[in-house]
Amino acid sequence: MSYKSTMHNISVNRLFQSLHHLFHALLVLIIVILTFSFFFFCYAEPTGISTTAEKWVGTWSTAPQLVEPGNNPPSPGLSNNTLRQIVHVSLGGDSLRMRFSNEFSTSPVTLNSVHIAVSKGGGIIDSTTDEVLYFNGNPEITIGPGTAITSDPFQFALQPLTDIAITIYFGNTSPDVTGHPGSRTTSYILTGNEVSKVDFSNAVRTDHWYIINTIEVLAPDSAYAVAVLGNSITDGRGSGTNKQNRWPDELARRLQENPDTRMVAVLNEGIGGNCVLRDCLGPSAVNRFERDVLDQNGVKWLIILEGINDIGQAFGTQGSAKVAQDLIAAYEQMIDSAHARGILVYGATLLPFGGSSYYTVDHENARQTVNEWIRNSGRFDAVIDLDEALRDPADPLKLLPGADTGDHLHPNETGHRMMAEAVDLNFFFWRIK
């Protein structure tokens, strides 16, 4: 065989060898890509959040206030003891941070250690999900009087509509407590440092929240929140304790069930006994509006359902008529402030209260005046007619019997579900006014 032929055969063999190696390299690359994609899908799927996370959005919130003495923590109290509290989130995510409030207390509050985990019910946590929170890299933080603090971001595989347990081992606390009395969920207190304990079922129980304020998730740009501003009805009066079926919870469930609205969180900013125009229980809606609505991260929509306590506590014909006009002026102020921040505002009509302790002819006339304005003024971006949804056709001044707790003012669990069902989910598609 000639030298030329030999070299030709060697070149051909080398070519086939190179192609063989290239084929194997491509095969390995494809396997790596498919494996990575599989694990990426498995990691991202539980939360329903894409990895294009660009901003913080609230997934749970409650409006803080000065806790009335009768609703303060029971013995053994909070100082140097451990408190476990349960909250129900709306939006999922993989990276979280949490806000704690001492805004209404006159003394500092020390958090020696804070843990967060998935709740299994009855004060028991899933210990495999337990995470420690840090504040500027430290597990301990003291919150000054009149202030609030936010934790460092932390990794947590949070699924939508999950019950989460926040467990705090306190140091010294304030005798006047910042919190939220109308939790509609049970909290648990154990003496000493039990922050890592799994089972709190034998703890002292109380149906109030203390110190906790907001949980946020790092979410993609397509995620937003709807804030619901209200009084005891929004706070959940008439819903079931530990059932997480307040009407904003029911709305969050509906949003999650709809593929087009799964990226919408719900923030419940209701306070029981709250008024719009003056401080009743908790600061007035106009005074807390910036904190509870405008300063919440990711809020794109606002539902206002508040004013019944103002009307129900008005005096006489002239007083009731004035309250109605003042409520309208307050709504306009809130609408303008929200629009300036790019927030769409939906007005919810006030529910009927015939037969309740609030009912008088003057109060009913004031309610009708306010509802007429909500429906027909054109100032709201949309109207949610809860009055129409829950009134009794046989007696429109009263709640439907099947939706009434019996006090003729607050809806029961069926009523809360009906309220959520009266909300058009099309209101939560992205749109520009």
Side-chain angles (χ1 to χ4, degrees):
M1 181 182 292
S2 67
Y3 174 79
K4 185 175 181 179
S5 298
T6 301
M7 293 304 295
H8 174 75
N9 289 337
I10 292 173
S11 298
V12 170
N13 289 335
R14 286 177 176 174
L15 175 61
F16 277 112
Q17 288 175 358
S18 298
L19 290 173
H20 180 74
H21 290 316
L22 179 61
F23 173 79
H24 277 282
L26 287 172
L27 184 60
V28 169
L29 180 61
I30 290 170
I31 292 172
V32 169
I33 291 172
L34 289 174
T35 302
F36 176 81
S37 300
F38 173 78
F39 283 109
F40 172 80
F41 176 81
C42 290
Y43 176 76
E45 178 66 16
T47 62
I49 298 290
S50 81
T51 56
T52 313
E54 299 180 3
K55 66 182 182 185
W56 291 102
V57 177
T59 181
W60 171 85
S61 186
T62 193
Q65 65 180 89
L66 178 64
V67 177
E68 313 96 287
N71 290 324
N72 275 341
S75 180
L78 300 183
S79 291
N80 303 308
N81 294 322
T82 306
L83 171 69
R84 176 165 291 167
Q85 303 175 90
I86 313 302
V87 303
H88 185 71
V89 303
S90 53
L91 194 65
D94 298 314
S95 184
L96 282 63
R97 66 184 184 185
M98 185 163 184
R99 189 173 189 265
F100 302 82
S101 175
N102 194 35
E103 294 170 79
F104 295 92
S105 306
T106 56
S107 300
V109 170
T110 297
L111 313 181
N112 287 330
S113 181
V114 181
H115 286 220
I116 190 169
V118 172
S119 171
K120 297 178 71 174
I124 302 170
I125 62 167
D126 180 350
S127 59
T128 65
T129 66
D130 192 31
E131 295 288 343
V132 179
L133 272 62
Y134 292 89
F135 306 87
N136 294 321
N138 299 308
E140 178 182 329
I141 185 75
T142 295
I143 315 173
T147 66
I149 54 96
T150 300
S151 74
D152 300 339
F154 58 95
Q155 294 298 304
F156 192 92
L158 180 67
Q159 296 192 27
L161 306 179
T162 300
D163 288 351
I164 294 297
I166 302 105
T167 307
I168 306 171
Y169 169 44
F170 287 94
N172 291 327
T173 62
S174 178
D176 47 356
V177 184
T178 298
H180 189 89
S183 65
R184 319 295 169 199
T185 63
T186 301
S187 300
Y188 306 83
I189 304 174
L190 287 176
T191 57
N193 181 6
E194 299 287 356
V195 72
S196 298
K197 187 178 179 68
V198 172
D199 188 347
F200 272 48
S201 58
N202 292 325
V204 173
R205 302 185 179 205
T206 181
D207 292 343
H208 308 298
W209 286 322
Y210 306 106
I211 306 297
I212 56 177
N213 185 189
T214 300
I215 298 175
E216 296 178 334
V217 296
L218 195 59
D221 193 54
S222 58
Y224 288 95
V226 50
V228 187
L229 187 68
N231 46 41
S232 57
I233 295 173
T234 295
D235 201 20
R237 176 75 176 271
S239 66
T241 300
N242 296 318
K243 291 186 177 181
Q244 315 299 348
N245 61 353
R246 315 162 189 85
W247 80 266
D249 297 328
E250 297 286 4
L251 175 59
R253 268 188 278 277
R254 289 190 64 217
L255 290 165
Q256 282 297 317
E257 290 168 358
N258 185 338
D260 293 323
T261 56
R262 285 179 182 164
M263 300 306 294
V264 179
V266 180
L267 304 179
N268 187 332
E269 301 298 343
I271 294 180
N274 197 236
C275 295
V276 173
L277 303 173
R278 61 186 180 88
D279 293 350
C280 297
L281 288 181
S284 69
V286 292
N287 286 336
R288 65 188 180 93
F289 188 73
E290 183 171 0
R291 181 198 68 188
D292 291 345
V293 177
L294 301 182
D295 289 347
Q296 294 281 355
N297 284 317
V299 171
K300 181 60 188 173
W301 304 278
L302 165 65
I303 298 173
I304 299 175
L305 174 60
E306 188 158 9
I308 211 71
N309 289 325
D310 300 82
I311 291 172
Q313 298 171 33
F315 295 99
T317 302
Q318 290 185 340
S320 299
K322 184 178 187 305
V323 163
Q325 294 306 315
D326 289 347
L327 282 173
I328 289 169
Y331 296 151
E332 294 205 89
Q333 175 186 333
M334 289 190 278
I335 291 167
D336 290 340
S337 297
H339 282 173
R341 299 284 189 93
I343 298 171
L344 299 173
V345 188
Y346 303 146
T349 51
L350 302 180
L351 298 177
F353 53 65
S356 76
S357 60
Y358 274 177
Y359 183 82
T360 68
V361 172
D362 292 329
H363 291 168
E364 178 59 26
N365 288 338
R367 186 182 75 93
Q368 294 291 351
T369 296
V370 169
N371 280 352
E372 179 70 15
W373 184 86
I374 290 172
R375 291 185 180 107
N376 299 313
S377 68
R379 291 288 281 118
F380 286 105
D381 296 289
V383 173
I384 302 168
D385 203 336
L386 297 180
D387 172 38
E388 182 179 42
L390 266 73
R391 68 191 178 204
D392 183 358
D395 188 351
L397 302 185
K398 294 183 178 181
L399 288 168
L400 279 164
D404 190 346
T405 56
D407 69 2
H408 311 302
L409 181 63
H410 298 94
N412 59 17
E413 294 178 51
T414 298
H416 278 270
R417 186 179 66 252
M418 292 174 64
M419 291 172 69
E421 290 171 351
V423 180
D424 186 346
L425 297 190
N426 288 316
F427 291 166
F428 304 105
F429 290 97
W430 173 261
R431 60 181 193 166
I432 300 174
K433 183 175 172 65

